[in-house]
Amino acid sequence: MPKTVADLREMKGVEPIAMLTVYDYPTAMALDACDLDILFVGDSLAQTELGLSSTADIGLDQMLHHLFAVARGVKRTHLLADLPFGSYETPEMALEGAKRLLDAGAMSVKLEGPRYDVVELLTANGVAVMGHVGLLPQTARRYRRQGTKVESAARIRKQASQLESVGCYAMVLEFMSHETAETITADLTIPTIGIGAGPACDGQVLVSSDMLGQYESVPSYVRKYAHLYEATKKAGAAYREEVKRRCFPE
Ligand code: KIV
């Protein structure tokens, strides 16, 4: 059975949460068999799947298109989906969008930044929300590590605590000083899930296309667990060769 939000909360201090993004049906089927805790249809699909330059370039309909496919492949893992840029400008818009994500198969939703009013309305309506602080790709102008200065560390720390108090069940800490992530992890009673935020977080998330090696160039904090870019090139070249030499089909 997929983990519930309560199960995930109880993992804090007990067992690290393992989370990966996923954007398509075959990858969803394979990753669903890995006993991960959370699979996540992130808006990073704008870049990783659609070749766009920013996560701000996609909307709810594109998220839903991918979520429907992923949900068909995920049976055992908690399925989380992003509210994309522009879909939570008001709490009411967010509620409408979140309901569409839940109807498409998500068990909880994630949004970026200090949107306390939105989290309040969603949780009051029974929608489980994961927060996200630190680097916020939907609005960031530069890809720079956050929380490295005293003031910015204090600001992120305050945002994380307030997001917890309005009802978030977990919190992504993206690309921030490891010390700041460690302090926030100690501050909160809900689990933190880090990406480029160091080892002290209660869990880790990576973009699956990065860790599967679908791209040659990846952020410095990524570890590649496969090399699909090379494998795909090798397979494509071998196929071409066999067609040209009339070795395939036999
Ligand atoms: O969309 C995404 O991939 C994310 C991760 C950075 C957590 O939000």
Side-chain angles (χ1 to χ4, degrees), residues 31-217:
L31 294 180
D32 192 45
C34 297
D35 204 18
L36 292 155
D37 302 301
I38 305 177
L39 284 171
F40 167 47
V41 181
D43 61 3
S44 50
L45 73 84
Q47 290 130 319
T48 62
E49 301 300 294
L50 305 178
L52 296 167
S53 58
S54 162
T55 57
D57 293 337
I58 60 161
L60 195 58
D61 288 338
Q62 281 148 312
M63 288 299 298
L64 286 163
H65 177 79
H66 286 261
L67 175 58
F68 277 122
V70 167
R72 285 183 207 109
V74 173
K75 308 272 180 259
R76 292 175 249 183
T77 319
H78 184 99
L79 185 55
L80 167 74
D82 245 342
L83 276 164
F85 181 72
S87 72
Y88 52 104
E89 275 165 19
T90 66
E92 293 71 27
M93 267 177 86
L95 183 57
E96 203 181 306
K99 282 183 178 161
R100 290 181 70 194
L101 294 172
L102 298 186
D103 285 347
M107 296 175 70
S108 60
V109 303
K110 181 174 81 57
L111 54 79
E112 291 184 9
R115 296 304 312 275
Y116 314 117
D117 54 345
V118 172
V119 177
E120 247 162 4
L121 186 74
L122 293 184
T123 51
N125 281 275
V127 181
V129 185
M130 185 181 289
H132 183 152
V133 295
L135 186 93
L136 305 175
Q138 290 178 5
T139 47
R141 288 203 204 97
R142 288 173 59 193
Y143 200 78
R144 201 170 42 184
R145 192 178 290 281
Q146 306 291 302
T148 52
K149 300 210 174 92
V150 178
E151 311 80 59
S152 96
R155 180 177 40 82
I156 300 170
R157 204 174 154 191
K158 192 167 164 204
Q159 289 174 353
S161 291
Q162 282 187 244
L163 283 165
E164 169 171 13
S165 66
V166 291
C168 284
Y169 77 87
M171 189 86 49
V172 165
L173 308 184
E174 180 163 357
F175 203 33
M176 66 173 67
S177 133
H178 295 189
E179 291 73 29
T180 303
E182 189 168 0
T183 309
I184 293 173
T185 301
D187 282 347
L188 303 187
T189 64
I190 57 172
T192 60
I193 303 176
I195 175 161
C201 300
D202 298 306
Q204 298 292 328
V205 54
L206 282 179
V207 166
S208 54
S209 41
D210 286 344
M211 58 79 74
L212 291 172
Q214 284 180 318
Y215 292 97
E216 278 181 331
S217 149

